[in-house]
Amino acid sequence: MSTENLSQSPEQPPRKPRVAVVFGGRSSEHGISVVTAGAVLKAIDRTKYDVLPIGITQDGRWALTADEPERMAIVDRRPPSVDALAESDEGGVILSVDPANREVVYSEPGSVPKALGEVDVVFPVLHGPYGEDGTLQGLLELSGVPYVGSGVLSSAVGQDKEYMKRVFTSFGLRVGPYVVVRPREWDQDETAARKKIVDFAGEHGWPLFVKPARAGSSIGITKVDDLSGLDEAIAEAQRHDPKILVEAALRGREIECGVLEFEDGPRASAPAEIPTPEAHAYYDFEAKYIDSTPGIVPAPLTPEETAEVQRLAVDAFDAASCEGLVRADFFLTEDGEFVINEINTMPGFTPISMYPQMWQASGVSYPELVDRLVQAALRRSTGLR
């Protein structure tokens, strides 16, 4: 579907495409999603698109929210929430799962449901499980509504760090050493599961990074310097995901690169370097979003290194069959090799986030970035493609 295909009559001008910006969600990245939505709502061209903000509360209710992006900001180091933005404590937004009907309905107890009009494309700015992991994408496929970003499989692969690494390895991309502990292993024999991690540390050395396997924004990650901190790190990761991933520390520079879908295919941005923040052990949640530790854009790389990381970023995009956008994160090791750490199919997307900054340095402004993503979604159909 494209802008030109929207219904119109001879007496009326063409209807503007209607974009539903869906944000919040049930994951631990709820607040960052709200911040991202505020940035998108500020940037989207209102002369070109009609906009419908829909927030998902932390308990999963789809809420109608005010179109007030200035309220979607971090205040006093506290991220915002959909509950504070919802127009009602009980009302819910319903998206039809009938592909022939894209109308959105708002319903409150004791009131007649109110039609909010048809939606032409959804811009999901959810991070983490129940939004970025293929679950929302599956609902939108059933509904026949085009959406920004990757499809069901790619979103699921991009969320699960274990299977992401397996896919990359199968396509010849270099990944660092890691080990996975599944919830069944932990439940059946906690001692053996812990020994699996200790043996991994014996092989690859300390420190280790203990992570939730299916979370983002550096939430739930702990850098573990020795055995004494392992149990606490495991408990913290399991607070966010029963499956945990443990990675060996890689010595080198952190390099990121954005990929964006253009009309002729995916292209890579100027890369960025993430220096180790002085007040943090690594680039954690607070360094990213609270203290806004700046990256270096463009990264001080040789032309050959820049070309290589851009090629690898597009290769990662293609390996996972991604669409729309991806941020690919690498380590440039001391032996001069790029090792891919992960991709993010819905990266941090505020104007100060690295993904928009890399495209700004590549000549694509934030409003243009939003527009390109919406247009790419409108060009695609749902279903097998």
Side-chain angles (χ1 to χ4, degrees):
M1 180 180 183
S2 66
T3 305
E4 290 77 15
N5 293 332
L6 295 170
S7 60
Q8 56 184 300
S9 68
E11 296 80 20
Q12 295 179 333
R15 179 175 67 82
K16 291 187 289 187
R18 198 134 193 257
V19 181
V21 178
V22 180
F23 60 97
R26 293 163 56 191
S27 83
S28 52
E29 297 174 78
H30 177 99
I32 296 306
S33 174
V34 179
V35 174
T36 298
V40 171
L41 289 170
K42 281 182 182 178
I44 196 165
D45 186 349
R46 303 306 179 102
T47 67
K48 193 171 182 178
Y49 305 106
D50 285 328
V51 180
L52 176 66
I54 300 174
I56 301 177
T57 64
Q58 289 179 306
D59 62 4
R61 178 172 62 94
W62 288 46
L64 188 64
T65 66
D67 188 0
E68 298 177 3
E70 63 277 2
R71 294 173 59 196
M72 303 178 183
I74 294 173
V75 178
D76 295 330
R77 303 178 75 87
R78 293 194 305 271
S81 72
V82 168
D83 294 271
L85 297 164
E87 294 193 350
S88 165
D89 292 335
E90 296 182 308
V93 174
I94 301 169
L95 178 67
S96 171
V97 292
D98 178 0
N101 177 17
R102 294 183 178 176
E103 191 162 73
V104 175
V105 174
Y106 178 71
S107 177
E108 285 192 77
S111 301
V112 176
K114 179 173 65 174
L116 300 178
E118 291 191 348
V119 166
D120 299 296
V121 63
V122 169
F123 198 134
V125 292
L126 296 118
H127 303 301
Y130 313 111
E132 190 184 350
D133 60 349
T135 50
L136 177 63
Q137 289 74 14
L139 172 63
L140 296 173
E141 292 286 349
L142 288 173
S143 303
V145 180
Y147 52 92
V148 169
S150 290
V152 176
L153 174 64
S154 306
S155 297
V157 168
Q159 188 64 40
D160 191 311
K161 294 177 175 65
E162 175 194 0
Y163 286 97
M164 181 197 308
K165 291 175 186 292
R166 290 181 181 271
V167 167
F168 290 156
T169 300
S170 72
F171 276 82
L173 292 162
R174 183 181 171 191
V175 304
Y178 68 96
V179 67
V180 175
V181 179
R182 293 178 174 81
R184 184 184 298 174
E185 293 179 82
W186 196 260
D187 293 339
Q188 289 181 344
D189 191 337
E190 185 175 317
T191 300
R194 189 173 185 276
K195 183 177 184 299
K196 184 178 180 180
I197 300 173
V198 174
D199 289 346
F200 178 79
E203 181 180 358
H204 297 285
W206 302 92
L208 301 178
F209 287 89
V210 179
K211 304 180 175 184
R214 295 162 293 192
S217 297
S218 297
I219 289 174
I221 298 177
T222 306
K223 181 182 180 183
V224 184
D225 292 314
D226 54 45
L227 193 60
S228 65
L230 184 58
D231 289 344
E232 185 177 346
I234 291 170
E236 172 61 17
Q238 289 176 330
R239 260 191 347 108
H240 303 277
D241 187 348
K243 182 167 89 166
I244 65 172
L245 180 87
V246 180
E247 294 176 337
L250 293 177
R251 289 174 175 78
R253 298 160 62 188
E254 289 192 52
I255 305 294
E256 297 184 349
C257 191
V259 181
L260 177 65
E261 183 182 343
F262 285 74
E263 291 82 355
D264 59 351
R267 301 182 199 171
S269 70
E273 180 168 1
I274 310 300
T276 301
E278 292 183 4
H280 303 266
Y282 63 99
Y283 195 45
D284 62 7
F285 177 86
E286 291 208 351
K288 286 180 180 179
Y289 297 108
I290 304 299
D291 297 330
S292 301
T293 301
I296 303 169
V297 188
L301 300 172
T302 67
E304 293 77 17
E305 289 169 336
T306 296
E308 177 68 359
V309 76
Q310 289 174 326
R311 180 187 69 80
L312 291 171
V314 173
D315 284 352
F317 183 96
D318 287 338
S321 297
C322 295
E323 295 169 294
L325 73 164
V326 150
R327 193 194 70 233
D329 300 346
F330 297 86
F331 289 100
L332 177 56
T333 64
E334 294 172 345
D335 62 4
E337 294 290 327
F338 282 103
V339 176
I340 188 162
N341 187 39
E342 64 180 47
I343 58 169
N344 198 312
T345 56
M346 182 49 68
F349 204 78
T350 69
I352 64 169
S353 299
M354 293 313 303
Y355 184 86
Q357 285 194 52
M358 289 187 287
W359 279 108
Q360 180 75 44
S362 306
V364 180
S365 68
Y366 190 88
E368 184 184 351
L369 191 56
V370 170
D371 184 66
R372 282 191 173 277
L373 288 169
V374 172
Q375 288 298 316
L378 286 168
R379 288 195 300 270
R380 290 195 304 267
S381 63
T382 52
L384 297 177
R385 52 189 184 274

